[in-house]
Amino acid sequence: MNIPNSSTAPAAGEYAGDEVSAIVLDPGYSSTRAGFAGEDVPKSVCPSFYGQRDTDSGLHYAFGENAIHNPQDRLDIKNYWGSDGIVEDWDVATKLWEYAITDRLTGAKATDPTKNGLNDGNTNGDSMDVDIEALENNEKPLEESPLLITEPGWNSAKAREKYIEIAMEDWGAPAFFLQKTGVLAAFASGKASGIIIDVGASHTSVTPVLDGMVLRKGVQKSPLAGNFISNQIRQIFKQSSPEIPLTPHYLVKSKTQVDAGSPAQAAYKTFANPPTDSFRFNEEERVLTEFKESVVEVWPGPGRFSNGNNEEIARNTPGRPFEMPDGWNQVFSSERFRAAEGLFDASAALTSDTSPRPKDEHTIPRLVQAAVQQVDADQRPMLLANIVVTGGSTLLYKFNERLNYEINAIYPSTRNKLIAPGSVVERKYASWIGGSILASLGSFHQLWISRKEYEEHGAGIVEKRCR
Amino acid sequence: MASGRDVRDMLGLPMGGDAPKAAIQKRPKLAGGSRKIQGVAREVAALYGERPPPVAVYEEKKSYRAKRQNTGPAKKWEQQAFRIAARRDDLVLRHWRRKHATAPPVQAPDDTKMEDGENTDVQVPLCAEYEKYDVQVDLPTFTDDEYDVLLRSEDWSREETEYLLQMVNDFAYRWAVIWDRYDFLPFHKLYDGGESAKGDADQALAAMPFAPSKKRTVEDLKARFYDISAKLMKHRIPEVHMDAEQYSLYEMLSKFDPVMERNRKMLATALMNRSMDEVKEEEFLLTELQRINMAAVRLDAEREELRSRLDAPTANSSVSAGLQAFTSSQSLQALFQQLFQQDRSKKRASGGGTGPGRLSLSANDMVHTPGSAQAQLSAANRRQSMASQPVAQTPVKHLSPREEHRYNVSTHERLTSGVTFGSDKLLKMRQAKSNVQTQKIATALATLGIADVIAIPTSRVGDVFETLVTKLGKLLDVRKVREKEEGECRVLQNMKEGGGSGTPRGDNMSETPKPKSEIQDTPGIDADGEDDDDNNPNFGDDDAPGEEEEEDDADGDDDGDGMEDVDAEGEDESSVQQSRATSQGVGGQSHKRSASVFSQDDESEISTKRARK
């Protein structure tokens, strides 16, 4: 036996791990994560955007990273999520989730022994009966694995029933469970209670969790998240003089080096049937994502970016260069702080005709305040000592410093502690990891909603069991 | 079978045969065990002598991770189907388990196939490993009768009560969650059930735009639940039969006060919502307090050291540091008095411009004594703790003269600084401005039969002694004056006798050298006289009041007066002639001379004393 140390796995009885090869599905606006419970990262991460191609032979869907970035004519890029943070297009969602699961996890099933021609000689009546049933099950992709799906904290009861229907009816899962992303993100950080600040692509949510249960009254969400920052960057590009051109990769055939700020000299591709606007928009978002990752910085405080001479200080810090796909490049100095400032200070957000000024109560500090307000006074200090930060947009440079400053400004008398996993994967996929932990626990076996229970009680059981 | 050893054991005999054997076996072991040490280590070991080293020293060997033991061929694992004991339904899940060695590996695929093929319900093993996590919540239950008799409430319907219990069960007493999810809609249920007219009325009430929304707080829920629990508990187990644990639980349940709880939470919220400034102020005050405490501790340590040096009784150490000076009400009273005095003296200092009194706590005064530092500390404390409160006026208690006398209380306009002994005071009184005077006083006191050291110099004794000494002083003065006057009288008489011989002026001119020479002839006396002049330049001044008080002579007479007079006259005999001779001179000179002459008798006294010594 090895001596137990930090790198050896704990004994089986110690952490109550008992893996039943459950599948965890964590759909988000930007990406859909799927993987086997008990693993530390999702094996399958595919974009939640999908391509829809209306051809003569009917609708064709394109799923996966490779498909949606391929410039084809009449390829519309869409997302199945609604603007309210609840799945809108259930048909496509089912298909896309199924793709995410089968593409990397379960794979195509082997042909049944009765059909693969190897057992042709064997004509046994008994086995034939069984085969028919097996054949039926075979069409369902998940018949062997219990399924855990994550849902946003504000999911409607109707949507929740839809999840279990998909899992049971369409996929034939033997067991199912639905858990909120907030709870799972807290589990991923080893916390049963806390406030979870999740800044994703489409929505920012603040979820108070107590002993693994969401306090529903305290759940707050706002549209100020990653996509909002992308829009802010677009406006920065538009408002700068001269206007900064935004050319996605697929349009550029070749580029030559140019000086900073001077117009790009690139050869562009020409398409006989140019792709749709939505395709271009999606490709532009990819460039903006890169910009967010490499240039945008959050003003770390103290004070807001617009306060005092903070802007002056920011101007004096070294800027960051960025080069567009077509070779245009520039060093961005103080304007890179402006893109994300709207998350914390609504009045600092850039506005235009299409994007009105965000509401004050949608900024992250106000969300946290509202969420804490809805919690029993006895629990507030404990929750504030466990603030879990998750979501891809929290990876913005200095985001945590600013958040820490803002929360300490609101609650100076409590011990506020931010828990933000250092690794990018853990930050981005926290709720999946939490689900992976949960579904691999032996003590979780009794919580699954079994097929039998579903058949007995109907879809309404999900309200009763998954709370 | 029983060996000889066993028999011996049974009979309690010593292990005769075996004991030496064991010893023999042991000895070589011991010898082999202590391995021979080489090199420098051997010398070090020699330093220990025969005894074992105090710390067991093990030579650390280079060790690599143990080689992975070959445990034979790779173990087989299989995906086992299992049922879960904690579940009511027969959900079958699969997990990987090590394959039991008993089952031949060849049959494994067959087994799985069999499982797949057949109805597995019977064969699937039950996994009870995690059954312990299936925890049920203990809840109070009641029957319809019990509800009607005990639990009826105007505010709570039966349905809502049951809903509450269900919620408590679902969320396992997590009140924050229960309150969060609590969403009881009475009319929905009533509507579903098609209830009576009362229900309709309720529904109408609830549907009304101004219907009082039954928004229950956590405290409401808790109060109802605890009330139910307490009543049921009391109903099941009468109070007299409860054991201690049950009774404390019952008491806790029945004593729940939602109003107090609500107030407590309001306070907690207020505490949490303090502004940055308030928090900073608190932090500042806390650091200040810490600083003060540290200073107090240091001060106490210093005082402790001082006390131990002075061998004084130790102060009450149980009281927290810094405050031990103020344990009793008296000392507190004293503190107040001190502070009050401080204020007054400050006022006086600013207004009247007089110097700081004994109790003033001005900076230069308080630096040195520990007591004043304590006062400073307490003053600082006071400034912080009751900055806004006015200083309490301590009532001054007036004592009757009798009581004052009894308690030996004395009032002083002003006190001299520092501590004085009563005996010092008495000693001081004995001393006059000149040694001569001091000697005279000492002689007078000696003649009165008063000892040099007075045994118990109480304040009263001091007072009496003071009056005595003042009287003595007067007496001495008067005597001096008398002598002077007598001398004058004699001189004048002489002048009168020899008046016909010549003018006093001419006489004076001619005569003066003579006495001078006379004096020079007796150098000892002269020197003494001159010394007196030098040492006591104000001696003449003393005379002046003496002259005025001439008439007080009778008044100042003591019983020893006559004696002294005689004594003085007797001693004066020698000097009288001199003075006669000298006082032939006129005016100021003669006056001065007379002074010196008068002092001579003092000198003679001194000389006699010297002689005595």
Side-chain angles (χ1 to χ4, degrees), chain A residues 34 90 98 126 134 185 194 198-199 213 270 340 353 372 385 387 451 459:
Chain A
W90 285 100
E98 194 177 324
D126 288 349
D198 182 353
V199 189
M213 278 178 279
T270 50
D353 302 338
V372 170
I387 300 172
R451 168 165 284 278

Side-chain angles (χ1 to χ4, degrees), chain A residues 17-20 211 213-217 374 376 378 380 413-414 445-446 448 450 452-453 467, chain B residues 87 89-90 94-95 130 134 170-171 174 176 179-181 218 264-265 269 271-272 274 276:
Chain A
D18 190 356
E19 293 172 19
V20 290
D211 285 346
M213 278 178 279
V214 169
L215 299 175
R216 276 190 202 149
K217 283 177 186 155
Q374 293 296 324
D376 194 71
D378 287 348
R380 287 177 198 169
S413 59
T414 50
H445 293 336
Q446 52 184 295
W448 290 109
S450 68
K452 204 171 180 181
E453 282 171 317
R467 30 183 162 220
Chain B
R87 293 187 72 97
D89 60 352
D90 49 356
R94 288 152 179 279
H95 56 188
Y130 302 105
D134 187 21
D170 287 350
F171 297 111
R174 286 181 182 86
W179 172 72
D180 182 67
R181 306 288 174 87
V218 192
R264 183 185 69 77
K265 275 191 187 158
T269 315
L271 185 71
M272 228 189 93
R274 283 176 306 170
M276 188 68 105

Side-chain angles (χ1 to χ4, degrees), chain B residues 276-410:
Chain B
M276 188 68 105
D277 288 344
E278 287 165 320
V279 173
K280 277 195 179 147
E281 192 185 337
E282 190 196 324
E283 254 169 41
F284 170 75
L285 286 177
L286 281 173
T287 50
E288 193 78 346
L289 179 69
Q290 195 184 10
R291 197 176 59 76
I292 288 168
N293 277 339
M294 271 166 63
V297 166
R298 205 173 53 232
L299 190 70
D300 281 337
E302 278 169 14
R303 300 192 80 186
E304 193 64 36
E305 195 199 330
L306 195 65
R307 247 187 241 112
S308 64
R309 273 176 200 224
L310 292 173
D311 203 19
T314 50
N316 188 3
S317 59
S318 66
V319 185
S320 70
L323 297 172
Q324 59 178 230
F326 316 121
T327 42
S328 65
S329 61
Q330 287 159 352
S331 48
L332 278 175
Q333 186 81 1
L335 175 66
F336 265 108
Q337 195 70 34
Q338 203 175 353
L339 294 169
F340 175 59
Q341 286 285 345
Q342 173 204 2
D343 274 10
R344 218 175 56 177
S345 66
K346 255 188 197 163
K347 247 178 252 166
R348 206 168 52 198
S350 61
T354 53
R358 160 85 178 90
L359 290 172
S360 84
L361 292 173
S362 66
N364 54 356
D365 204 5
M366 70 169 87
V367 176
H368 309 291
T369 62
S372 70
Q374 186 77 49
Q376 182 183 16
L377 170 66
S378 63
N381 267 334
R382 187 180 58 101
R383 230 175 289 137
Q384 293 216 330
S385 61
M386 27 182 219
S388 57
Q389 291 174 12
V391 180
Q393 192 85 16
T394 15
V396 179
K397 194 176 176 186
H398 288 285
L399 297 169
S400 68
R402 214 181 119 255
E403 280 176 322
E404 272 189 13
H405 175 241
R406 194 180 152 205
Y407 298 126
N408 199 14
V409 174
S410 58

Side-chain angles (χ1 to χ4, degrees), chain A residues 2 5 12-13 16-21 130 144 146 174-175 180 210-211 213-218 372-381 384 408-414 441-453 465 467, chain B residues 65 69 79 82 84 86-87 89-97 113 116-118 127 129-135 166 170-171 174 176-177 179-182 215-216 218-219 222 261 264-266 268-269 271-276 279 283:
Chain A
N2 278 339
N5 58 34
D18 190 356
E19 293 172 19
V20 290
S21 64
V130 175
E144 275 180 358
K180 301 222 187 306
L210 189 71
D211 285 346
M213 278 178 279
V214 169
L215 299 175
R216 276 190 202 149
K217 283 177 186 155
V372 170
Q373 201 59 40
Q374 293 296 324
V375 179
D376 194 71
D378 287 348
Q379 262 74 42
R380 287 177 198 169
L384 284 171
N408 281 331
I410 304 171
Y411 300 105
S413 59
T414 50
L441 290 179
S443 48
F444 186 68
H445 293 336
Q446 52 184 295
L447 295 177
W448 290 109
I449 300 170
S450 68
R451 168 165 284 278
K452 204 171 180 181
E453 282 171 317
R465 294 284 292 277
R467 30 183 162 220
Chain B
R65 188 191 276 183
Q69 283 178 346
Q79 205 175 25
F82 69 101
I84 300 126
R87 293 187 72 97
D89 60 352
D90 49 356
L91 172 67
V92 177
L93 297 173
R94 288 152 179 279
H95 56 188
W96 288 95
R97 280 288 176 269
K113 202 183 174 190
D116 280 346
E118 289 171 14
C127 177
E129 206 178 323
Y130 302 105
E131 203 179 2
K132 61 185 171 188
Y133 297 111
D134 187 21
V135 187
Q166 184 58 43
D170 287 350
F171 297 111
R174 286 181 182 86
V177 183
W179 172 72
D180 182 67
R181 306 288 174 87
Y182 196 86
K215 250 203 149 173
R216 308 223 184 249
V218 192
E219 288 77 28
K222 276 187 184 175
E261 190 75 352
R264 183 185 69 77
K265 275 191 187 158
M266 267 167 62
T269 315
L271 185 71
M272 228 189 93
N273 291 340
R274 283 176 306 170
S275 72
M276 188 68 105
V279 173
E283 254 169 41

Side-chain angles (χ1 to χ4, degrees), chain A residues 47 64-71 75 77 250 279 282-283 286:
Chain A
E65 197 82 51
N66 293 333
I68 63 167
H69 298 307
N70 185 15
L75 182 71
I77 303 297
Y250 78 97
F279 181 83
N282 191 40
E283 294 301 309
R286 289 178 89 191

